[in-house]
Amino acid sequence: MKKVRKDFVVLGKDIGGKPPIYFDNACQTLRPRQVTEAVSEYYDSFPACGGRSVHKMATEVSLRCDEVRTRVADFIGAESPLEIAFMKNTTEGCNTVILGSKFNKGDEIVTTDYEHNSVHVPILRAVETSGVRHKIVKSAPDGTFDLESLKKAMTKKVALVAMALTSNVTGYTLPAKEVVQIAHSYGAKVLFDAAQYAPSNKLDVRGMGVDYLAASGHKMCGPSGVGLFYCRAEIAERLRPVMYGGHGVTDTTLDSYSLLPAPERFETGLQNYSGIVGTGAAIAYLSALGMDEIQAHEVSLNRQMTKELREVQGVRPLKPSNPELRGGIFSFNIDGLSAHDVAMIMDNSKNIMMRSGMHCCHPYFHARRLEGCARASVYIYNSPEEVEVFTDTVKQLASKFSKKR
Ligand SMILES: Cc1ncc(COP(=O)(O)O)c(C=O)c1O
């Protein structure tokens, strides 16, 4: 971890007088110099358009993007690079599946009760436009996924099971293989929103058997604005893009168009080439560290946070209570303070940068009558010493404010 920290230039900078303690990794991670150098290399050496022009610089872009596609396919265990499309973010991948699938009126889509709006809102839109029914599997009281409730929700009408593989609110990861098995036994397809899973866990889409998966490069050391979208080859031709225009088509006439096969049909318009090249560097970086090491590091910091704060009066961590089930995420409230107050005080007093609010999961909080929570999310460069500053500050806040209730 100490060696890793040196790659992240911003960690050595004075931000408002001292180096930052960056605990907002579930939103977006920091980027190592290997990634920013790769982005600069694109702009300095071959800043052209891929997939269209035939000159040398354009050919270099196309080759580099294809290389990254292959690297992503290997990284997530896909069978072929053609199963990988580059998008803007996880949101675009989820929208493509939910709004690009052909549903019939009365078809059902099943989700958890803690979906991010990037799954939840397109489903509400599909309810409006296609007449699908949205069914929700309630979490178990201990905050884990309830497989029995999923089984009860399943019928032959379920066309899609769309779920966050790892929750961005609690850090909990659902039992992926079991969910896929149950969904497939009813003939339903499965979309996993892997925005929070992909940065810290070894992905194996073939082993999981999942049909579609979406993730964001910017949550895994990559540049802003690159999404990774996996679509199993056998079903790709049935999925429509959500955007139409240049580069997604083989031919157009005045009154017709024909789509290119996947993945190009999903890559409409000029792409974020510098971002794609940088994403390749990010994946190489994470692979060299090892996904198992990354996951173990996060859990060890989470264990430390949980041990220190679990019994503190006025601190209310969100479930599940076992840190082994929460990856790098520790979400909590402090009695007597709003979540935004907590985050602002942490920032102003100790330079600890974290997220507060409803984290784009409004239904989760409405159902639990919570106004939001503060979320500390750690990653590869965070240290036990930083965690100590965090837990000490939370304890001080709790002792100062929670008594006032
Ligand atoms: C679980 C989950 N899904 C989807 C998203 C959306 O990611 P993006 O904004 O990169 O599309 C996020 C972002 O925080 C997330 O945590």
mmCIF file of all heavy atoms in Angstrom, residues 364-393:
data_model
loop_
_atom_site.group_PDB
_atom_site.id
_atom_site.type_symbol
_atom_site.label_atom_id
_atom_site.label_comp_id
_atom_site.label_asym_id
_atom_site.label_seq_id
_atom_site.Cartn_x
_atom_site.Cartn_y
_atom_site.Cartn_z
ATOM 1 N N TYR A 364 -34.194 3.084 -1.092
ATOM 2 C CA TYR A 364 -33.607 2.376 0.048
ATOM 3 C C TYR A 364 -33.824 3.202 1.320
ATOM 4 O O TYR A 364 -34.236 2.675 2.357
ATOM 5 C CB TYR A 364 -32.103 2.152 -0.194
ATOM 6 C CG TYR A 364 -31.340 1.634 1.010
ATOM 7 C CD1 TYR A 364 -31.126 0.267 1.177
ATOM 8 C CD2 TYR A 364 -30.837 2.511 1.978
ATOM 9 C CE1 TYR A 364 -30.432 -0.214 2.286
ATOM 10 C CE2 TYR A 364 -30.155 2.041 3.086
ATOM 11 C CZ TYR A 364 -29.952 0.685 3.233
ATOM 12 O OH TYR A 364 -29.274 0.219 4.333
ATOM 13 N N PHE A 365 -33.550 4.492 1.234
ATOM 14 C CA PHE A 365 -33.626 5.344 2.429
ATOM 15 C C PHE A 365 -35.080 5.651 2.796
ATOM 16 O O PHE A 365 -35.434 5.651 3.974
ATOM 17 C CB PHE A 365 -32.813 6.629 2.214
ATOM 18 C CG PHE A 365 -31.335 6.344 2.193
ATOM 19 C CD1 PHE A 365 -30.669 6.151 0.995
ATOM 20 C CD2 PHE A 365 -30.623 6.207 3.372
ATOM 21 C CE1 PHE A 365 -29.309 5.856 0.972
ATOM 22 C CE2 PHE A 365 -29.269 5.907 3.363
ATOM 23 C CZ PHE A 365 -28.605 5.731 2.161
ATOM 24 N N HIS A 366 -35.921 5.889 1.777
ATOM 25 C CA HIS A 366 -37.339 6.157 2.081
ATOM 26 C C HIS A 366 -37.942 4.982 2.846
ATOM 27 O O HIS A 366 -38.654 5.168 3.825
ATOM 28 C CB HIS A 366 -38.129 6.384 0.793
ATOM 29 C CG HIS A 366 -37.728 7.652 0.066
ATOM 30 N ND1 HIS A 366 -37.428 8.825 0.723
ATOM 31 C CD2 HIS A 366 -37.585 7.915 -1.265
ATOM 32 C CE1 HIS A 366 -37.106 9.763 -0.166
ATOM 33 N NE2 HIS A 366 -37.194 9.226 -1.376
ATOM 34 N N ALA A 367 -37.627 3.754 2.383
ATOM 35 C CA ALA A 367 -38.226 2.568 3.013
ATOM 36 C C ALA A 367 -37.775 2.411 4.455
ATOM 37 O O ALA A 367 -38.487 1.838 5.285
ATOM 38 C CB ALA A 367 -37.859 1.309 2.221
ATOM 39 N N ARG A 368 -36.597 2.898 4.772
ATOM 40 C CA ARG A 368 -36.064 2.739 6.133
ATOM 41 C C ARG A 368 -36.217 4.019 6.955
ATOM 42 O O ARG A 368 -35.668 4.145 8.037
ATOM 43 C CB ARG A 368 -34.586 2.319 6.065
ATOM 44 C CG ARG A 368 -34.449 0.880 5.561
ATOM 45 C CD ARG A 368 -33.109 0.583 4.953
ATOM 46 N NE ARG A 368 -33.038 -0.786 4.432
ATOM 47 C CZ ARG A 368 -33.512 -1.178 3.238
ATOM 48 N NH1 ARG A 368 -34.115 -0.297 2.435
ATOM 49 N NH2 ARG A 368 -33.425 -2.432 2.858
ATOM 50 N N ARG A 369 -36.947 4.959 6.408
ATOM 51 C CA ARG A 369 -37.190 6.256 7.066
ATOM 52 C C ARG A 369 -35.897 6.917 7.521
ATOM 53 O O ARG A 369 -35.763 7.406 8.641
ATOM 54 C CB ARG A 369 -38.138 6.098 8.269
ATOM 55 C CG ARG A 369 -39.513 5.669 7.865
ATOM 56 C CD ARG A 369 -40.435 5.503 9.037
ATOM 57 N NE ARG A 369 -41.678 4.889 8.632
ATOM 58 C CZ ARG A 369 -42.659 5.509 8.007
ATOM 59 N NH1 ARG A 369 -42.571 6.780 7.735
ATOM 60 N NH2 ARG A 369 -43.752 4.862 7.667
ATOM 61 N N LEU A 370 -34.924 6.896 6.624
ATOM 62 C CA LEU A 370 -33.646 7.569 6.881
ATOM 63 C C LEU A 370 -33.506 8.732 5.910
ATOM 64 O O LEU A 370 -33.949 8.641 4.759
ATOM 65 C CB LEU A 370 -32.476 6.603 6.656
ATOM 66 C CG LEU A 370 -32.293 5.450 7.642
ATOM 67 C CD1 LEU A 370 -31.238 4.476 7.130
ATOM 68 C CD2 LEU A 370 -31.919 5.969 9.025
ATOM 69 N N GLU A 371 -32.881 9.795 6.372
ATOM 70 C CA GLU A 371 -32.686 10.939 5.469
ATOM 71 C C GLU A 371 -31.435 10.786 4.625
ATOM 72 O O GLU A 371 -31.138 11.622 3.767
ATOM 73 C CB GLU A 371 -32.633 12.227 6.278
ATOM 74 C CG GLU A 371 -34.025 12.671 6.691
ATOM 75 C CD GLU A 371 -34.002 13.803 7.689
ATOM 76 O OE1 GLU A 371 -32.947 14.466 7.821
ATOM 77 O OE2 GLU A 371 -35.035 14.019 8.330
ATOM 78 N N GLY A 372 -30.682 9.741 4.868
ATOM 79 C CA GLY A 372 -29.453 9.490 4.118
ATOM 80 C C GLY A 372 -28.435 8.866 5.053
ATOM 81 O O GLY A 372 -28.794 8.369 6.136
ATOM 82 N N CYS A 373 -27.199 8.853 4.654
ATOM 83 C CA CYS A 373 -26.133 8.376 5.542
ATOM 84 C C CYS A 373 -24.816 8.972 5.061
ATOM 85 O O CYS A 373 -24.718 9.481 3.944
ATOM 86 C CB CYS A 373 -26.050 6.846 5.553
ATOM 87 S SG CYS A 373 -25.408 6.127 4.041
ATOM 88 N N ALA A 374 -23.833 8.915 5.929
ATOM 89 C CA ALA A 374 -22.464 9.271 5.533
ATOM 90 C C ALA A 374 -21.794 7.961 5.109
ATOM 91 O O ALA A 374 -22.060 6.917 5.701
ATOM 92 C CB ALA A 374 -21.729 9.901 6.706
ATOM 93 N N ARG A 375 -20.961 8.041 4.077
ATOM 94 C CA ARG A 375 -20.336 6.801 3.573
ATOM 95 C C ARG A 375 -18.832 6.993 3.431
ATOM 96 O O ARG A 375 -18.371 7.859 2.692
ATOM 97 C CB ARG A 375 -20.937 6.448 2.210
ATOM 98 C CG ARG A 375 -20.331 5.201 1.584
ATOM 99 C CD ARG A 375 -20.860 4.961 0.187
ATOM 100 N NE ARG A 375 -20.335 5.927 -0.753
ATOM 101 C CZ ARG A 375 -20.758 6.062 -2.022
ATOM 102 N NH1 ARG A 375 -21.739 5.304 -2.467
ATOM 103 N NH2 ARG A 375 -20.216 6.958 -2.814
ATOM 104 N N ALA A 376 -18.091 6.161 4.171
ATOM 105 C CA ALA A 376 -16.636 6.124 3.979
ATOM 106 C C ALA A 376 -16.353 4.923 3.091
ATOM 107 O O ALA A 376 -16.803 3.812 3.385
ATOM 108 C CB ALA A 376 -15.934 5.968 5.317
ATOM 109 N N SER A 377 -15.649 5.139 1.999
ATOM 110 C CA SER A 377 -15.325 4.003 1.128
ATOM 111 C C SER A 377 -13.838 4.041 0.817
ATOM 112 O O SER A 377 -13.313 5.057 0.369
ATOM 113 C CB SER A 377 -16.159 4.058 -0.147
ATOM 114 O OG SER A 377 -16.067 5.309 -0.786
ATOM 115 N N VAL A 378 -13.168 2.928 1.120
ATOM 116 C CA VAL A 378 -11.701 2.891 1.027
ATOM 117 C C VAL A 378 -11.256 2.132 -0.219
ATOM 118 O O VAL A 378 -12.033 1.383 -0.810
ATOM 119 C CB VAL A 378 -11.094 2.239 2.292
ATOM 120 C CG1 VAL A 378 -11.321 3.122 3.504
ATOM 121 C CG2 VAL A 378 -11.649 0.837 2.508
ATOM 122 N N TYR A 379 -9.988 2.334 -0.577
ATOM 123 C CA TYR A 379 -9.459 1.635 -1.746
ATOM 124 C C TYR A 379 -7.992 1.303 -1.527
ATOM 125 O O TYR A 379 -7.459 1.469 -0.423
ATOM 126 C CB TYR A 379 -9.702 2.482 -3.006
ATOM 127 C CG TYR A 379 -9.728 1.672 -4.287
ATOM 128 C CD1 TYR A 379 -10.403 0.454 -4.349
ATOM 129 C CD2 TYR A 379 -9.077 2.122 -5.427
ATOM 130 C CE1 TYR A 379 -10.419 -0.289 -5.527
ATOM 131 C CE2 TYR A 379 -9.099 1.389 -6.607
ATOM 132 C CZ TYR A 379 -9.768 0.173 -6.642
ATOM 133 O OH TYR A 379 -9.788 -0.565 -7.810
ATOM 134 N N ILE A 380 -7.320 0.945 -2.610
ATOM 135 C CA ILE A 380 -5.981 0.356 -2.512
ATOM 136 C C ILE A 380 -4.938 1.214 -1.798
ATOM 137 O O ILE A 380 -3.989 0.699 -1.250
ATOM 138 C CB ILE A 380 -5.452 -0.003 -3.920
ATOM 139 C CG1 ILE A 380 -5.683 1.155 -4.901
ATOM 140 C CG2 ILE A 380 -6.130 -1.241 -4.429
ATOM 141 C CD1 ILE A 380 -5.263 0.870 -6.335
ATOM 142 N N TYR A 381 -5.102 2.544 -1.845
ATOM 143 C CA TYR A 381 -4.067 3.437 -1.303
ATOM 144 C C TYR A 381 -4.387 3.905 0.101
ATOM 145 O O TYR A 381 -3.594 4.634 0.690
ATOM 146 C CB TYR A 381 -3.899 4.663 -2.215
ATOM 147 C CG TYR A 381 -5.182 5.047 -2.929
ATOM 148 C CD1 TYR A 381 -6.229 5.641 -2.250
ATOM 149 C CD2 TYR A 381 -5.340 4.743 -4.277
ATOM 150 C CE1 TYR A 381 -7.407 5.954 -2.901
ATOM 151 C CE2 TYR A 381 -6.523 5.063 -4.940
ATOM 152 C CZ TYR A 381 -7.555 5.654 -4.250
ATOM 153 O OH TYR A 381 -8.719 5.940 -4.883
ATOM 154 N N ASN A 382 -5.551 3.541 0.628
ATOM 155 C CA ASN A 382 -5.884 4.008 1.987
ATOM 156 C C ASN A 382 -5.149 3.165 3.023
ATOM 157 O O ASN A 382 -4.887 1.984 2.815
ATOM 158 C CB ASN A 382 -7.401 3.960 2.211
ATOM 159 C CG ASN A 382 -8.121 4.980 1.362
ATOM 160 O OD1 ASN A 382 -9.012 4.649 0.575
ATOM 161 N ND2 ASN A 382 -7.717 6.237 1.485
ATOM 162 N N SER A 383 -4.821 3.826 4.138
ATOM 163 C CA SER A 383 -3.951 3.173 5.120
ATOM 164 C C SER A 383 -4.667 3.025 6.468
ATOM 165 O O SER A 383 -5.614 3.764 6.766
ATOM 166 C CB SER A 383 -2.695 4.027 5.319
ATOM 167 O OG SER A 383 -3.059 5.244 5.943
ATOM 168 N N PRO A 384 -4.165 2.119 7.324
ATOM 169 C CA PRO A 384 -4.720 1.993 8.681
ATOM 170 C C PRO A 384 -4.594 3.306 9.453
ATOM 171 O O PRO A 384 -5.452 3.633 10.269
ATOM 172 C CB PRO A 384 -3.847 0.904 9.321
ATOM 173 C CG PRO A 384 -3.260 0.145 8.179
ATOM 174 C CD PRO A 384 -3.138 1.104 7.035
ATOM 175 N N GLU A 385 -3.535 4.080 9.171
ATOM 176 C CA GLU A 385 -3.357 5.365 9.876
ATOM 177 C C GLU A 385 -4.481 6.330 9.482
ATOM 178 O O GLU A 385 -5.013 7.055 10.327
ATOM 179 C CB GLU A 385 -1.995 5.992 9.529
ATOM 180 C CG GLU A 385 -0.788 5.235 10.053
ATOM 181 C CD GLU A 385 -0.462 3.957 9.253
ATOM 182 O OE1 GLU A 385 -0.865 3.873 8.072
ATOM 183 O OE2 GLU A 385 0.177 3.047 9.808
ATOM 184 N N GLU A 386 -4.839 6.340 8.223
ATOM 185 C CA GLU A 386 -5.950 7.209 7.787
ATOM 186 C C GLU A 386 -7.256 6.758 8.449
ATOM 187 O O GLU A 386 -8.073 7.585 8.874
ATOM 188 C CB GLU A 386 -6.102 7.152 6.261
ATOM 189 C CG GLU A 386 -4.987 7.850 5.502
ATOM 190 C CD GLU A 386 -5.166 7.750 3.990
ATOM 191 O OE1 GLU A 386 -5.653 6.706 3.502
ATOM 192 O OE2 GLU A 386 -4.815 8.712 3.294
ATOM 193 N N VAL A 387 -7.429 5.451 8.517
ATOM 194 C CA VAL A 387 -8.648 4.930 9.152
ATOM 195 C C VAL A 387 -8.697 5.373 10.618
ATOM 196 O O VAL A 387 -9.756 5.733 11.146
ATOM 197 C CB VAL A 387 -8.721 3.385 9.023
ATOM 198 C CG1 VAL A 387 -9.807 2.809 9.922
ATOM 199 C CG2 VAL A 387 -8.966 2.993 7.570
ATOM 200 N N GLU A 388 -7.547 5.391 11.273
ATOM 201 C CA GLU A 388 -7.510 5.806 12.677
ATOM 202 C C GLU A 388 -7.947 7.266 12.829
ATOM 203 O O GLU A 388 -8.700 7.613 13.742
ATOM 204 C CB GLU A 388 -6.089 5.615 13.206
ATOM 205 C CG GLU A 388 -6.051 5.451 14.695
ATOM 206 C CD GLU A 388 -4.619 5.245 15.169
ATOM 207 O OE1 GLU A 388 -3.853 4.544 14.471
ATOM 208 O OE2 GLU A 388 -4.269 5.821 16.208
ATOM 209 N N VAL A 389 -7.476 8.119 11.926
ATOM 210 C CA VAL A 389 -7.898 9.532 11.980
ATOM 211 C C VAL A 389 -9.425 9.598 11.812
ATOM 212 O O VAL A 389 -10.126 10.323 12.534
ATOM 213 C CB VAL A 389 -7.213 10.359 10.861
ATOM 214 C CG1 VAL A 389 -7.698 11.816 10.883
ATOM 215 C CG2 VAL A 389 -5.694 10.309 10.986
ATOM 216 N N PHE A 390 -9.925 8.799 10.879
ATOM 217 C CA PHE A 390 -11.367 8.778 10.607
ATOM 218 C C PHE A 390 -12.148 8.305 11.843
ATOM 219 O O PHE A 390 -13.087 8.981 12.286
ATOM 220 C CB PHE A 390 -11.632 7.865 9.396
ATOM 221 C CG PHE A 390 -13.058 7.455 9.217
ATOM 222 C CD1 PHE A 390 -14.002 8.340 8.704
ATOM 223 C CD2 PHE A 390 -13.476 6.168 9.551
ATOM 224 C CE1 PHE A 390 -15.321 7.961 8.538
ATOM 225 C CE2 PHE A 390 -14.792 5.783 9.387
ATOM 226 C CZ PHE A 390 -15.722 6.676 8.881
ATOM 227 N N THR A 391 -11.754 7.176 12.409
ATOM 228 C CA THR A 391 -12.543 6.628 13.530
ATOM 229 C C THR A 391 -12.442 7.550 14.763
ATOM 230 O O THR A 391 -13.428 7.758 15.461
ATOM 231 C CB THR A 391 -12.109 5.183 13.892
ATOM 232 O OG1 THR A 391 -10.697 5.158 14.110
ATOM 233 C CG2 THR A 391 -12.452 4.205 12.786
ATOM 234 N N ASP A 392 -11.274 8.135 14.983
ATOM 235 C CA ASP A 392 -11.145 9.067 16.122
ATOM 236 C C ASP A 392 -12.081 10.265 15.941
ATOM 237 O O ASP A 392 -12.729 10.714 16.886
ATOM 238 C CB ASP A 392 -9.697 9.586 16.235
ATOM 239 C CG ASP A 392 -8.763 8.534 16.822
ATOM 240 O OD1 ASP A 392 -9.273 7.486 17.270
ATOM 241 O OD2 ASP A 392 -7.529 8.749 16.786
ATOM 242 N N THR A 393 -12.148 10.772 14.708
ATOM 243 C CA THR A 393 -12.993 11.948 14.451
ATOM 244 C C THR A 393 -14.475 11.594 14.623
ATOM 245 O O THR A 393 -15.251 12.365 15.199
ATOM 246 C CB THR A 393 -12.726 12.513 13.038
ATOM 247 O OG1 THR A 393 -11.330 12.549 12.819
ATOM 248 C CG2 THR A 393 -13.292 13.909 12.869
#
